[in-house]
Amino acid sequence: MEILETRVDTNSETYRENKRVMEERLEKLRSELKKARDDRSEKAYNRHTSQGKLPVRKRLELLLDRNTPFLEIGPLAAWNMYDKRVHGAGIVGGIGIVEGREVLINANDAMIKGGTIYPMGVKKSLRLQQIAMENRLPSIGLVDSGGAFLPLQSEIFPDAQNGGRIFYNQAWMSKMGIPQITAVMGLCTAGGAYIPAMSDYVVHVKKTGAIFLGGPPLVRAATGEVVTADELGGAQVHCQQSGVSDFMAEDDADAISMIRQIVHRLPRPTKHPLTMQAVKEPLYDPKELYGIVPQKLSTPVDCREIIARIVDGSEFMEFKSMYGSTLVCGWAYIHGYPVGILGNNGILFSESAKKATQFIQLCDRDKIPLVFLQNINGFIIGKQYEADGITKDGHKMVAAVSLAQVPKFTVVTGGSFGAGNYAMCGRAYSPRFLWMWPNSQVSVMGGEQAADVMISVKNDQMVRMGMDPLSAEDAASLKQGIVETSEEESHAYYSSSRLWDDGILDPAQTRDVLGLALSASLNAPIPDVDGSCVFRM
Ligand code: COA
């Protein structure tokens, strides 16, 4: 394979300035992640630990194999939402290694409003379940939750993708043969009682763990019966009388040790075999990405410079390098795994869309996972391009992306706008994982363009009604409002907060994160492609 050559001048002023700006962005990212991890009130900490319970991060540390990576999902979920303190949407979740096996973990953080479930917490749980299902990962729940966050119950309870879906998914996961292990380390109240009830294995911690459909306050209000949480749904009741729980643990650490034993004895399906190569570090330092990523999304960047700092040995076999040049397609290895990469080098034209379609179909047939490096303004527009059938060619690419059955991974390295988001495997196209870089943005179009469109629509409307078009002043004020809203709502933090992505990545970590994700994805078999041959577009 050809080694990618770099044209980056690491001594240039532009490089140094880009690096400075990216380092500032990374400092902010680290500080937001730290806040999400550590910002808990003293009252909540004391209340939690005085009951003999371990903080959620400590539980995780005991659960995971020592010195193994944890691929955290949505650490900034609910960022700046609610009272700005429902960090990670009250849940710590991700893929970790337990007894040498990749598993999916969903752990309530009871130091955030008693571990109650906010609307974004429901969304995060559903996303974690989707990851478990798509990648066939055993699922471990560390439950410690006061159930629905009652003031927002209308956003949590009634709809199809609300709380009930969690238990619905549990039934399907069981049917799919995905083991589910739940440790009851605090309350599992009301709907939350079904989390252990619908699991395959239930470990119940003495004294602190309780499962009930109605807690003591509700029982007292409804029936007049006065009981403690332990009498109502403690470990003794459920391990000895009801049979809801299977194993009784002395404390948190004991429960975690039992979970590890359960995982140890689970049958281990063989992972999907890919033709691997020995791992080689990239020839160029991934940290050089800091100086390569431009400060402004409007400044173009050759995605080969990015690929060269992500793939093994910076080696890349480019497909149709002279055709459809605004989309770079080709094969490489990441941590030894073969991948097909698609990276934007400008707007999508008919040729680039057709090239992508053929490339995606080739990779899908050959069972080579796909990596999309998104930096895209959209498809080309205009009279000539419409007449030439850009929509028809875009359709081919969007259809190929939709139907590809190989694991797909998307990294938004710059802009993710318009139908380009769709064609380059945006969230709606079921990439197994999607991450944003700190400089990236996602929206239908940039704020300036959106404002210009709205002003043009407004002016047409006024002219139709026989009125004067907007004054320069009114147009400027309309524009400012749209640009400001659009800036805020397209930002990577806004996206991560709403779980439109799985997290914001330090660009230099992209290679390692992709390696972990590729490894996890191979727990699920890659199906054979049925149907017709790969067409030369
Ligand atoms: N909805 C909204 N807020 C809730 C809540 C709920 N279901 N359960 C607890 N909270 C809040 C409390 O108001 C408190 O808020 P504050 O820190 O601003 O004062 C915080 O969560 C912690 O609760 P607290 O009772 O002080 O802590 P604790 O460790 O003693 O107990 C629980 C935590 C969850 C065991 C306990 O609060 C409880 O039993 N909650 C009700 C559970 C329930 O019946 N849920 C039914 C929902 S379907």
Side-chain angles (χ1 to χ4, degrees):
M1 265 200 263
E2 192 190 331
I3 294 179
L4 287 165
E5 273 180 31
T6 188
R7 288 193 179 78
V8 171
D9 175 5
T10 53
N11 290 314
S12 72
E13 184 55 31
T14 312
Y15 180 93
R16 276 203 295 269
E17 196 46 24
N18 287 346
K19 185 165 179 280
R20 186 188 62 74
V21 171
M22 179 56 86
E23 278 168 350
E24 264 174 31
R25 287 179 164 142
L26 290 173
E27 210 173 294
K28 175 175 167 60
L29 177 63
R30 281 189 282 271
S31 130
E32 292 298 340
L33 288 169
K34 185 170 175 352
K35 192 155 79 170
R37 215 186 148 97
D38 298 338
D39 173 35
R40 304 292 180 273
S41 73
E42 204 181 324
K43 180 181 128 197
Y45 180 86
N46 292 340
R47 177 87 187 107
H48 187 82
T49 50
S50 67
Q51 297 169 62
K53 297 201 285 190
L54 296 174
V56 66
R57 296 276 170 180
K58 185 72 195 165
R59 287 172 175 166
L60 237 68
E61 192 187 310
L62 293 179
L63 177 63
L64 298 170
D65 290 358
R66 222 169 261 177
N67 297 324
T68 57
F70 178 56
L71 182 57
E72 188 164 351
I73 301 294
L76 294 179
W79 176 86
N80 253 6
M81 292 173 80
Y82 312 122
D83 66 355
K84 302 192 178 179
R85 295 195 70 183
V86 186
H87 303 298
I91 290 171
V92 182
I95 300 174
I97 317 275
V98 173
E99 291 287 314
R101 175 156 187 188
E102 285 149 334
V103 298
L104 190 285
I105 298 161
N106 179 339
N108 299 118
D109 190 337
M111 280 195 253
I112 298 176
K113 285 278 180 193
T116 49
I117 309 298
Y118 283 68
M120 287 309 300
V122 173
K123 192 169 182 189
K124 187 162 176 178
S125 282
L126 293 176
R127 171 69 190 132
L128 292 168
Q129 286 184 320
Q130 184 186 26
I131 292 172
M133 287 190 271
E134 287 179 349
N135 302 288
R136 300 278 172 141
L137 299 173
S139 191
I140 296 176
L142 306 182
V143 185
D144 190 350
S145 163
F149 181 74
L150 290 170
L152 296 179
Q153 66 85 22
S154 68
E155 296 172 47
I156 296 165
F157 180 63
D159 208 355
Q161 294 299 322
N162 284 175
R165 196 70 179 190
I166 295 172
F167 318 122
Y168 172 92
N169 283 346
Q170 282 191 274
W172 278 99
M173 285 162 74
S174 179
K175 190 176 161 75
M176 289 165 73
I178 296 172
Q180 296 171 74
I181 307 161
T182 295
V184 181
M185 307 180 113
L187 291 201
C188 299
T189 314
Y194 287 101
I195 292 178
M198 301 202 65
S199 298
D200 301 315
Y201 303 92
V202 181
V203 178
H204 199 136
V205 180
K206 261 189 191 166
K207 296 196 183 104
T208 48
I211 305 171
F212 28 63
L213 291 183
L218 183 61
V219 170
R220 188 168 55 225
T223 69
E225 196 178 11
V226 178
V227 279
T228 65
D230 201 40
E231 287 163 351
L232 190 63
Q236 204 77 36
V237 174
H238 287 308
C239 291
Q240 205 168 35
Q241 292 172 268
S242 74
V244 172
S245 304
D246 308 312
F247 306 92
M248 186 152 81
E250 288 300 316
D251 53 22
D252 282 8
D254 191 31
I256 287 164
S257 147
M258 285 178 179
I259 296 175
R260 290 181 55 84
Q261 287 174 49
I262 295 166
V263 174
H264 179 80
R265 55 154 295 285
L266 290 175
R268 274 165 210 240
T270 40
K271 282 186 162 189
H272 181 88
L274 288 178
T275 311
M276 307 277 294
Q277 274 205 358
V279 180
K280 281 190 250 179
E281 288 305 309
L283 217 60
Y284 312 103
D285 185 353
K287 284 207 164 125
E288 285 177 1
L289 289 168
Y290 302 166
I292 291 169
V293 176
Q295 295 155 55
K296 286 193 176 159
L297 293 186
S298 51
T299 312
V301 52
D302 183 354
C303 73
R304 293 181 194 86
E305 298 287 1
I306 296 174
I307 296 169
R309 287 155 183 88
I310 290 179
V311 304
D312 288 5
S314 305
E315 292 168 356
F316 187 58
M317 186 174 149
E318 193 165 337
F319 175 68
K320 280 186 156 70
S321 63
M322 291 184 291
Y323 180 80
S325 59
T326 58
L327 185 72
V328 174
C329 299
W331 293 273
Y333 291 84
I334 295 178
H335 279 278
Y337 298 102
V339 289
I341 298 179
L342 297 93
N344 301 112
N345 259 5
I347 284 179
L348 287 163
F349 286 81
S350 280
E351 291 78 9
S352 25
K354 286 188 281 189
K355 171 165 107 174
T357 306
Q358 191 186 350
F359 181 71
I360 291 166
Q361 291 190 333
L362 279 175
C363 290
D364 199 31
R365 193 205 51 197
D366 296 345
K367 301 193 178 181
I368 294 179
L370 288 165
V371 174
F372 293 82
L373 300 176
Q374 263 199 28
N375 181 18
I376 178 68
N377 278 341
F379 284 89
I380 188 77
I381 53 170
K383 189 162 180 274
Q384 185 59 49
Y385 298 107
E386 294 294 351
D388 288 347
I390 181 67
T391 309
K392 192 175 64 177
D393 293 327
H395 135 77
K396 296 184 181 95
M397 182 173 175
V398 173
V401 169
S402 306
L403 298 176
Q405 298 183 80
V406 280
K408 297 174 283 189
F409 307 89
T410 302
V411 183
V412 185
T413 65
S416 171
F417 297 114
N421 165 292
Y422 304 158
M424 288 297 290
C425 204
R427 193 65 145 179
Y429 292 80
S430 290
R432 294 286 175 96
F433 300 92
L434 184 149
W435 298 278
M436 308 276 288
W437 280 3
N439 54 301
S440 63
Q441 290 183 15
V442 54
S443 64
V444 174
M445 61 179 85
E448 293 273 336
Q449 288 128 299
D452 288 345
V453 170
M454 287 314 296
I455 289 167
S456 162
V457 168
K458 192 80 208 159
N459 280 338
D460 287 351
Q461 204 180 49
M462 294 181 82
V463 169
R464 263 201 320 273
M465 289 157 66
M467 295 159 76
D468 288 338
L470 291 173
S471 66
E473 205 176 287
D474 287 346
S477 137
L478 179 63
K479 185 164 186 162
Q480 192 190 353
I482 296 173
V483 169
E484 277 173 14
T485 310
S486 168
E487 271 289 306
E488 187 201 333
E489 294 184 353
S490 61
H491 203 278
Y493 285 90
Y494 194 90
S495 164
S496 232
S497 173
R498 280 140 190 94
L499 283 166
W500 299 343
D501 58 65
D502 293 311
I504 303 176
L505 283 189
D506 174 343
Q509 289 172 346
T510 304
R511 163 183 169 74
D512 293 343
V513 167
L514 280 170
L516 293 173
L518 277 156
S519 170
S521 74
L522 298 176
N523 285 282
I526 302 179
D528 291 329
V529 172
D530 49 14
S532 54
C533 73
V534 175
F535 288 107
R536 189 167 291 283
M537 296 287 154

